[in-house]
């Protein structure tokens, strides 16, 4: 009883741990270094999983159209989205970074309407407004004069946060297109069972290629190689990879087997609330009552997308 709900809760906790580990890793080895090493580790874990399950370390059934859509998803979701996300961690911290991730369902709904012709219910539109109200309550506060409301976060950090939420939402829609096509070319049930992980492999491979290009273009190859010698930083990268792309994704897929997608997504969206207490305890960040209320409202807005 409530197996799917408990697994979804574990996913939200896993992503909370991921966000905090990634915040520390971003500050130790830079967001670009974190992304490069995270993609490498993700590919290694996924290859081993595919090898064990279907006997090949790469998605051999995927055709060119599948590769196109999933690669495009990887570019938008990883290269653009995750780059923005980890830079937002640097500037505004993981708790605010995760708060902006509540924009992802809105981005997915809008892009799904544009690309796939999916309909948006009035509840989804209301949900978008509620999410924005919740974020606004969290990022706005009284200025030094106490008489006017000001944005209390760096504008650059806010823009990175918005980019992260948009990247994840649009990347999700592109993944859906790729996986829908992947289903039509799969040659066995085993391939279908492992398809979400095979799809993640393609996205991660594109992500790695994108970050390597950025690394060479910005001439940060040497600094990232040096970052790999930061043992403590690499431990945080390993932890962020295990709890994020590997454990988090696996459990999220499992959760949908035991409960409805809407219930699972709603519970998993609670990360911005769960991260408040550990951020205060571990990072000594001040958490105001208005920020707590704003986070709760944002999560409630997300739930409206799945009613």
């Amino acid at each position: 009883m409530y197996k799917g709900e408990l697994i979804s809760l574990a996913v939200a906790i896993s992503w909370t741990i991921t966000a905090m580990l990634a915040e520390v890793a971003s500050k130790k080895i830079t967001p670009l270094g974190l992304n490069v090493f995270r993609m490498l580790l993700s590919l290694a874990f996924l290859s081993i999983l595919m090898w064990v399950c279907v006997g090949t370390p790469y998605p051999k059934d995927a055709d060119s159209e599948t590769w196109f859509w999933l690669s495009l998803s990887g570019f938008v979701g990883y290269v653009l989205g995750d780059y923005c996300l980890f830079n937002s961690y640097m500037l505004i911290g993981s708790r605010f970074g995760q708060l902006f991730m509540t924009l992802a369902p809105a981005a997915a709904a809008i892009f799904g309407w544009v690309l796939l012709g999916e309909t948006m219910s009035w509840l989804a539109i209301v949900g978008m407004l509620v999410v924005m109200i919740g974020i606004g309550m969290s990022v706005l506060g009284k200025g030094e004069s106490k008489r006017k409301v000001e944005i209390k976060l760096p504008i650059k950090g806010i823009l990175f946060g918005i980019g992260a939420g948009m990247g994840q939402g649009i990347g999700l829609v592109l993944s859906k297109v790729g996986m829908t096509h992947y289903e039509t070319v799969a040659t066995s049930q085993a391939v279908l069972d492992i398809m979400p992980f095979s799809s993640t492999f393609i996205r991660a491979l594109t992500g790695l290629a994108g970050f390597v290009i950025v690394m060479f273009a910005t001439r940060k190859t040497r600094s990232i190689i040096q970052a790999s010698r930061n043992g403590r930083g690499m431990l945080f990268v390993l932890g962020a990879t295990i709890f994020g792309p590997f454990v988090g994704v696996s459990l999220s897929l499992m959760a949908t087997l035991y409960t409805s997608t809407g219930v699972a997504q709603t519970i998993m969206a609670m990360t911005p609330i769960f991260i408040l207490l550990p951020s205060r305890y571990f990072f000594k960040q001040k958490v105001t009552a208005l920020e707590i209320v704003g986070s709760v409202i944002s999560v409630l807005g997300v739930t409206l997308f799945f009613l």
Side-chain angles (χ1 to χ4, degrees), residues 25-26 29-42 77-87 204 207-208 211-212 224 237 241:
S26 294
I29 64 172
T30 75
L32 181 57
L34 169 60
N35 277 306
V36 170
F37 296 128
R38 196 173 69 103
M39 291 297 100
L40 281 170
L41 289 171
S42 296
Y78 284 144
V79 182
L80 299 181
D82 279 3
Y83 181 80
C84 287
L85 179 62
F86 296 136
N87 273 282
L208 176 61
F211 289 125
V212 168
I224 290 179
V237 173
T241 304

Side-chain angles (χ1 to χ4, degrees), residues 11-27 34 38 85-86 88-90 93-99 101 236 239-241 243-245 271-272 274-275 278-279 283:
V11 172
I13 295 171
S14 179
W15 285 344
T16 299
I17 296 171
T18 300
M20 299 187 68
L21 293 173
E23 178 179 347
V24 176
S26 294
K27 293 174 181 177
L34 169 60
R38 196 173 69 103
L85 179 62
F86 296 136
S88 74
Y89 288 171
M90 287 274 290
S94 55
R95 66 187 176 97
F96 283 112
Q98 281 297 308
L99 179 64
M101 294 302 281
F236 282 105
T241 304
F243 283 102
T271 298
F274 289 164
I275 204 171
S279 292
F283 297 149

Side-chain angles (χ1 to χ4, degrees), residues 88-253:
S88 74
Y89 288 171
M90 287 274 290
L91 296 169
I92 59 178
S94 55
R95 66 187 176 97
F96 283 112
Q98 281 297 308
L99 179 64
F100 279 103
M101 294 302 281
T102 56
L103 290 170
I110 294 172
F111 202 72
W113 171 64
V114 172
L115 185 63
L116 303 176
E118 295 179 343
T119 59
M120 286 192 295
S121 68
W122 66 270
L123 275 176
I125 296 173
V126 172
M128 294 180 196
L129 297 175
V130 172
V131 167
M132 288 187 284
I133 290 172
I135 292 175
M137 291 178 63
S138 297
V139 303
L140 296 176
K142 291 184 178 180
E144 294 181 0
S145 65
K146 304 295 184 181
R147 294 181 179 178
K148 61 179 182 179
V149 176
E150 297 177 351
I151 298 175
K152 61 185 180 183
L153 299 176
I155 297 298
K156 189 175 182 181
I158 291 175
L159 292 176
F160 274 130
I162 293 172
M166 296 292 289
Q168 186 188 58
I170 296 172
L172 180 64
V173 175
L174 294 170
S175 291
K176 181 177 180 179
V177 176
M179 290 179 66
T180 299
H181 183 75
Y182 201 172
E183 286 182 318
T184 65
V185 297
T187 56
S188 68
Q189 185 60 45
V191 171
L192 284 173
D193 291 340
I194 203 72
M195 184 179 65
F197 299 96
S198 303
S199 300
T200 303
F201 178 92
I202 296 174
R203 297 180 74 232
L205 187 62
T206 305
L208 176 61
F211 289 125
V212 168
I213 291 172
V214 172
M215 181 178 69
F216 281 111
T218 56
R219 299 181 180 180
K220 293 183 179 179
T221 308
R222 181 175 296 181
S223 64
I224 290 179
I225 291 175
Q226 291 175 344
S228 67
R229 298 168 186 161
N230 185 327
R232 188 174 176 82
M234 291 303 293
L235 280 176
F236 282 105
V237 173
L238 177 62
T241 304
I242 291 173
F243 283 102
F246 197 62
V247 172
V249 169
S250 301
L251 291 179
S252 66
L253 295 172

